[in-house]
Amino acid sequence: MEPLSTMPGVALAGTLMTANLGIEELLRTLARRPAIRGLVVCGRDSPRFLAGQSLLALFRDGVDPERRSIVGAAGYLPLLRSVRLPEVERLRARVEVVDARGECDPLVLGDIVQKLLARVRAAPPPAPGGRTAEDGRAASGDGPSGRVPGFHRLRAGGRRVGLSRELDGFVVISLDRRARRVVLRHYGGDLTPRHEMTGVRAESMLLGLLSAGVITDPAHAGYLGGELTKAETALRLGLPYVQDVPLREPGRPGDAVLPVHEREEAPAVTDVSPGLPDLAEFLTAVVTGLGLEGGELDPDVPLGTQVSVESVRMIELAILLEEELGLDLPPDLDLRRCSPQELYEALTG
């Protein structure tokens, strides 16, 4: 679509994949770009999804307000659940659609675009309010409830089962770069070798573990899915891979962090960049990572002084901070010697 997107008069160009979510996203884009008044449906239409045919049917016949289905669409599940019908009708009134399905020649498409551009420039702007569907149904509602379904927001987080608890045993993941394979070895809780698997795709490897009954704990499965994906990425891109350590560019040095007693006193944090947790959320994550259910931490006292936890808990805390909160821990950071406040400032400052 690159040649088409550079043509005069073309605001945007792309591939429409589906007759439901794809069309909904296109409609939202058109609603945000009121200057767009023409649309050319071109290229090969998927014989399975028929997104192009469904889009043309939408602008020709509209949406059934009860079923939220595109009238006359032959595509796979042509349902519009997350757009408001009055907005759809306004777009149908504003945008002229040209059926150029099957046409891929940039020269021919350029001529179609210029003719469409001339027509929309000569036409008067559409009247506000949109038009009604051909069968006379009003377009002022969004179905019986009058509301568009929305997502229920969930918080990322939770705890993986501690390494000291024996559930499925544990796995060791490595790369065989000569064979270009990800290698997974499964051990029992007593270190007895149990299973070995090699593969190149994280998804197929995880599905193999699940179908064989090797992994039964959902938290462990989630961890392995992320870790196998990381290993697959490292194998494909030639990056170093170490289990439970974030991917890094080859040879990238870690930022040095001075011991607590050698640091200058840092100013109080008054602003946190968007996307980073605030101090309260950070303290909650630290309490969770150390397994201190219901406990509290003094933000100014080193962690090693406040709590007595085994080294594996510190490892799990580091994993939680990096994977759940997206914070990058310097490799020489001593968690035991840092107070929560100092740790927070080192990671977010």
Side-chain angles (χ1 to χ4, degrees):
M1 284 298 179
E2 184 176 355
L4 186 58
S5 64
T6 60
M7 291 180 182
V10 175
L12 53 88
T15 301
L16 182 64
M17 302 298 294
T18 64
N20 35 67
L21 299 181
I23 290 181
E24 286 184 347
E25 185 59 34
L26 173 61
L27 294 176
R28 282 190 284 267
T29 300
L30 292 175
R32 292 192 300 265
R33 306 281 292 272
I36 297 178
R37 295 178 56 193
L39 186 64
V40 178
V41 182
C42 59
R44 177 179 176 272
D45 199 6
S46 166
R48 173 175 174 79
F49 295 104
L50 291 173
Q53 186 275 339
S54 300
L55 180 62
L56 292 165
L58 169 65
F59 278 87
R60 182 184 64 244
D61 300 322
V63 180
D64 184 318
E66 298 297 327
R67 299 180 179 180
R68 301 300 296 251
S69 59
I70 299 174
V71 178
Y76 179 72
L77 289 178
L79 302 175
L80 304 182
R81 299 288 193 189
S82 301
V83 292
R84 296 189 178 278
L85 298 188
E87 186 62 50
V88 174
E89 293 304 310
R90 283 191 288 270
L91 291 173
R92 292 180 64 214
R94 189 189 90 199
V95 179
E96 178 184 343
V97 180
V98 175
D99 182 2
R101 286 175 294 169
E103 185 59 68
C104 300
D105 188 332
L107 295 178
V108 176
L109 291 173
D111 184 59
I112 293 174
V113 167
Q114 293 308 310
K115 291 179 179 178
L116 174 60
L117 184 61
R119 288 198 302 273
V120 298
R121 284 176 173 172
R131 67 188 180 195
T132 58
E134 291 181 2
D135 60 2
R137 290 189 294 252
S140 59
D142 281 287
S145 66
R147 293 179 297 178
V148 174
F151 290 102
H152 176 67
R153 290 188 176 274
L154 302 175
R155 288 181 61 88
R159 289 189 58 208
R160 228 169 54 227
V161 176
L163 299 180
S164 60
R165 291 183 56 183
E166 180 179 353
L167 287 172
D168 307 304
F170 62 95
V171 298
V172 176
I173 300 173
S174 60
L175 300 182
D176 184 343
R177 295 190 183 275
R178 179 170 297 182
R180 295 196 58 79
R181 311 282 287 184
V182 177
V183 180
L184 181 147
R185 293 185 174 93
H186 173 228
Y187 297 83
D190 58 355
L191 303 183
T192 302
R194 291 188 177 178
H195 304 90
E196 183 179 66
M197 175 186 290
T198 65
V200 294
R201 293 183 60 246
E203 181 181 7
S204 63
M205 294 183 71
L206 181 60
L207 290 175
L209 292 170
L210 293 171
S211 62
V214 174
I215 302 300
T216 58
D217 176 55
H220 204 174
Y223 159 74
L224 285 177
E227 200 61 38
L228 287 169
T229 300
K230 194 176 70 178
E232 177 187 345
T233 302
L235 184 65
R236 291 180 182 275
L237 301 182
L239 299 175
Y241 172 77
V242 179
Q243 189 170 344
D244 291 331
V245 175
L247 292 180
R248 296 179 182 272
E249 297 176 6
R252 173 187 167 188
D255 297 327
V257 176
L258 293 174
V260 174
H261 66 278
E262 296 182 13
R263 295 189 207 157
E264 295 181 1
E265 184 174 353
V269 176
T270 58
D271 183 38
V272 179
S273 301
L276 295 176
D278 59 29
L279 181 58
E281 293 175 330
F282 179 80
L283 290 176
T284 300
V286 172
V287 169
T288 300
L290 294 176
L292 306 174
E293 289 81 356
E296 294 183 356
L297 291 173
D298 187 327
D300 299 318
V301 178
L303 289 173
T305 303
Q306 296 192 67
V307 295
S308 177
V309 294
E310 66 273 22
S311 297
V312 69
R313 283 294 190 187
M314 288 295 179
I315 295 174
E316 291 184 338
L317 172 60
I319 294 172
L320 182 143
L321 294 177
E322 291 189 320
E323 297 188 354
E324 298 292 342
L325 299 184
L327 301 174
D328 193 8
L329 271 68
D332 56 348
L333 180 64
D334 189 346
L335 294 177
R336 294 178 182 273
R337 299 178 64 182
C338 290
S339 71
Q341 178 72 46
E342 291 170 328
L343 180 59
Y344 180 75
E345 292 173 357
L347 297 176
T348 62

